[in-house]
Amino acid sequence: MRYIRPSSLEDAIGLLVEASGKAAILAGGSDLLVRMKGGFIEPELIIDIKAIDALRHITESEDGFVIGAAVPCAVLGENAALRRAWPGVVEGANLIGSKQVQGRCTIVGNLCNASPAADSVPALVAAGAKALIRGPAGSRTIAVEMVPVGPGKTSLAPGEIIEAILLDKRQPRSGDAYQRFTPRTEMDIAVVSAAVNLTLDDQGVVQSARVALGAAAPTVLLVEEAAEILTGSRVEDKTVDRLAAACSGACSPIDDKRGTVEFRRKVAGVLARRVALAAYQRAGQKSWQA
């Protein structure tokens, strides 16, 4: 096994292209090292991207935020501008692992691990985030939800690396939120999770919405029906009841020792209701819920 720490993205891509055997990208290592220790993966080459300066920063511009692939989740939580603009995204990122893990783990690593239960991914999908991908053929940008194609599998072509996550500039009267259910309070993976992102008009009516569910299918679910239910509403009781039913119905979860299919469907609806109300409040409106 070889371990290489390149200083540029071009060098990292070149190493991937030239690799004769299995190569793995090390961003934080919180997923990769566990899989290696468990014998699930034995890469011949490990490419550590933490030394690539261009990937280690959060940049804010008139267009929004660019989050480098090597930025630790702890840094996301310390960025006041990002917390104000996209609190739901930060909520998801800050639930990955322990305090110690937070200093290493990254949202790009969480995304590329392609676990259906990944905490940061539903919030990114609800936010409409995009992945900036660089490879031997150049750069391309795709929606975050197009990266995972199944448990442990991504749509990245050979030699491609996600360079950054892109979040649009926050519109006025907008809010997002993320919550998960776990048997323990921390350091656990989601049994089910939900994220909602919405924008209101000046009358407090939802103009647009995105609703995403995690650990409810092989990949994160973007529930279009739930978004349509929220759009045109003030997120009152009747609306969130319909929202919960739509999210429960959209699920296609597994049945295992951590939760039955029936339980996961029920919890998906409960969480969707809660995060919709939280996002609505963050957008500047008091909840109609008593």
Side-chain angles (χ1 to χ4, degrees):
M1 181 185 294
R2 292 187 301 151
Y3 168 87
I4 301 179
R5 202 175 191 211
S7 58
S8 72
L9 187 57
E10 291 75 17
D11 288 345
I13 293 169
L15 288 167
L16 278 178
V17 172
E18 295 169 4
S20 57
K22 176 69 176 178
I25 298 294
L26 175 66
S30 54
D31 288 315
L32 176 63
L33 297 181
V34 171
R35 293 175 66 193
M36 289 172 61
K37 186 175 181 180
F40 299 106
I41 181 174
E42 294 184 2
E44 295 181 14
L45 171 64
I46 296 175
I47 303 169
D48 186 346
I49 63 172
K50 270 286 199 278
I52 301 176
D53 185 68
L55 306 185
R56 295 169 56 192
H57 304 284
I58 300 174
T59 306
E60 183 181 7
S61 69
E62 293 182 356
D63 298 324
F65 293 88
V66 178
I67 303 172
V71 174
C73 289
V75 174
L76 270 67
E78 294 168 356
N79 189 297
L82 185 62
R83 288 201 314 270
R84 285 193 302 269
W86 294 103
V89 170
V90 175
E91 283 172 338
N94 285 172
L95 283 171
I96 302 171
S98 64
K99 293 294 184 184
Q100 294 89 342
V101 169
Q102 282 283 309
R104 285 287 305 178
C105 68
T106 69
I107 55 174
V108 171
N110 198 224
L111 173 64
C112 291
N113 189 51
S115 167
D119 277 311
S120 68
V121 181
L124 289 170
V125 171
K130 296 178 177 61
L132 175 60
I133 300 169
R134 183 91 70 87
S139 298
R140 63 189 180 103
T141 302
I142 63 173
V144 160
E145 59 265 31
M146 295 176 64
V147 175
V149 295
K153 299 178 180 179
T154 74
S155 62
L156 297 179
E160 286 190 328
I161 297 175
I162 294 181
E163 179 178 354
I165 296 296
L166 311 179
L167 287 166
D168 288 340
K169 181 180 180 180
R170 199 52 151 150
Q171 297 300 310
R173 296 183 296 274
S174 297
D176 70 325
Y178 172 82
Q179 291 185 23
R180 67 177 184 180
F181 173 81
T182 62
R184 299 184 295 177
T185 56
E186 61 181 332
M187 289 195 295
D188 204 348
I189 59 174
V191 176
V192 185
S193 62
V196 170
N197 174 41
L198 47 79
T199 299
L200 313 180
D201 64 16
D202 55 7
Q203 301 300 313
V205 176
V206 178
Q207 283 186 312
S208 62
R210 286 171 68 92
V211 180
L213 300 176
T219 59
V220 170
L221 284 176
L222 187 61
V223 188
E224 299 287 354
E225 181 184 355
E228 292 172 3
I229 289 169
L230 287 175
T231 304
S233 79
R234 285 190 171 86
V235 195
E236 62 274 16
D237 288 346
K238 186 181 296 184
T239 301
V240 291
D241 286 344
R242 293 176 58 211
L243 167 74
C247 288
S248 293
C251 292
S252 55
I254 61 172
D255 194 344
D256 63 13
K257 64 182 180 181
R258 304 185 73 246
T260 64
V261 168
E262 181 181 6
F263 176 76
R264 283 187 162 103
R265 285 176 174 161
K266 175 67 174 179
V267 174
V270 172
L271 290 179
R273 167 193 279 269
R274 291 177 182 175
V275 294
L277 292 168
Y280 188 62
Q281 290 172 334
R282 286 173 174 173
Q285 295 293 321
K286 290 184 178 180
S287 168
W288 285 46
Q289 187 88 344

